[in-house]
Amino acid sequence: KDCTLYVPERVYSDEVGTNQVYEEMWTGNDMWETQVWGHDIDNWCSKCLIIFITQDKLPEGSTIAQIIVATDATQLSQFRGDKSAHPVYLSIGNIAKGVRRKPSSRAFLLLGYLPTCKFENLPDKSRSAAQWRLFHHCMRQMLKPLIQAGKEGVNILCSDGYTRWVFAILWSYIADYPEQCLVTCTKSNRCPICLVQPIDLGSFKKSRWRTGEHTQ
C-alpha cells in the first residue's frame, strides 16, 4: 500500500515548474487528462515539486486503475514433447515501477494461459491464420470484463483499506516483437506502430500511424 498511488501527479525537477519529469505512469499526461479530483493540492518533496491537478473526464471522486497486460509464449521443454505455454500477466501502473518490476514483489498476477494449438489437421497455409484468430478470440474473452469496468467503473477494496470507485482501463501492453505483430495484426516484417515499408525500417522515414480502422 505504500507504493501505490491513486491520483495523477505533475513532477518538475525545478521549483519554477519549467522542466517536467516523467518517471511513473501517473506522471504522464494521459492520466491527468483523464483523472478527476476535486481540488488542486501543492505538495513539496526534497527532490521535486509535485502538483495534483483537477480533471474533467471521469466523475468526481473516482480513480483509475492503469491496467498493464503482458504476454509471452514460453518454451517449457525441448526434450519431452516440445511443450510450450502462453501465459497472460496483469498488473497496474498505480504501483511504483521500482516495486512492480521486481519478481519478488508479486506485482504481476497470472491472468491465465492461452492455448498453444498447432492445428496440425489444417493445411500449412491455414495454420497461421487459425493461430492468430484463436489468440485474438481468447484475449477478447479474457479481457471482456474490462469493457464495463472501463466505462462504468467498479467499487474495489484497495490495499490501504479504502473502497474506491475505480475505472479499470487497459493502459499498456508489454510484448516482444513477435507478440507485438500478433497483437496488432501486423506481418512479421512490418512495423506494428506505423505503415512504413519493410525496406525503410530504421531509416527514420516519415509514415502514417496505424489505426484500428485500417487494421480491420
Side-chain angles (χ1 to χ4, degrees):
K1 70 177 183 180
D2 298 328
C3 305
T4 305
L5 201 71
Y6 304 97
V7 296
E9 291 182 350
R10 274 182 174 170
V11 180
Y12 298 94
S13 60
D14 59 317
E15 296 183 2
V16 183
T18 57
N19 186 20
Q20 189 170 350
V21 179
Y22 302 95
E23 55 182 2
E24 298 284 357
M25 290 186 69
W26 56 74
T27 63
N29 293 330
D30 287 344
M31 185 171 181
W32 71 25
E33 289 173 358
T34 307
Q35 180 70 49
V36 169
W37 285 90
H39 303 282
D40 290 346
I41 305 173
D42 291 346
N43 182 22
W44 291 81
C45 67
S46 58
K47 296 182 179 179
C48 57
L49 174 66
I50 303 176
I51 303 176
F52 297 86
I53 66 168
T54 57
Q55 308 297 322
D56 58 2
K57 289 188 178 180
L58 291 184
E60 185 174 357
S62 63
T63 189
I64 293 175
Q66 298 171 303
I67 302 297
I68 303 173
V69 173
T71 59
D72 188 16
T74 305
Q75 194 72 28
L76 298 181
S77 65
Q78 295 181 349
F79 307 104
R80 299 184 61 183
D82 193 24
K83 301 297 182 182
S84 61
H86 204 156
V88 180
Y89 299 101
L90 183 142
S91 186
I92 56 174
N94 308 68
I95 302 174
K97 63 181 181 182
V99 175
R100 188 175 62 247
R101 65 188 179 189
K102 292 181 180 178
S104 59
S105 67
R106 301 183 180 180
F108 271 90
L109 301 178
L110 177 63
L111 189 60
Y113 288 101
L114 299 174
T116 56
C117 304
K118 296 183 179 180
F119 293 103
E120 295 178 351
N121 60 316
L122 297 178
D124 293 343
K125 294 183 178 180
S126 304
R127 290 178 187 175
S128 295
Q131 292 172 345
W132 297 335
R133 290 169 180 169
L134 178 63
F135 171 85
H136 284 276
H137 173 75
C138 293
M139 289 298 294
R140 187 181 297 112
Q141 297 301 317
M142 193 174 292
L143 300 179
K144 189 175 181 180
L146 286 181
I147 298 177
Q148 181 176 358
K151 291 181 178 180
E152 301 178 5
V154 289
N155 291 322
I156 295 180
L157 179 63
C158 299
S159 58
D160 57 4
Y162 289 95
T163 298
R164 289 181 173 86
W165 186 13
V166 179
F167 285 78
I169 301 175
L170 181 58
W171 212 269
S172 180
Y173 198 114
I174 301 175
D176 57 16
Y177 177 71
E179 294 273 327
Q180 292 177 33
C181 294
L182 181 60
V183 171
T184 58
C185 304
T186 307
K187 292 182 179 180
S188 59
N189 64 341
R190 299 298 181 97
C191 176
I193 300 175
C194 70
L195 299 174
V196 66
Q197 294 299 313
I199 194 174
D200 295 322
L201 287 173
S203 63
F204 300 100
K205 231 178 183 180
K206 288 186 178 181
S207 176
R208 292 182 293 118
W209 298 111
R210 290 187 179 276
T211 64
E213 294 76 11
H214 180 272
T215 301
Q216 292 180 358

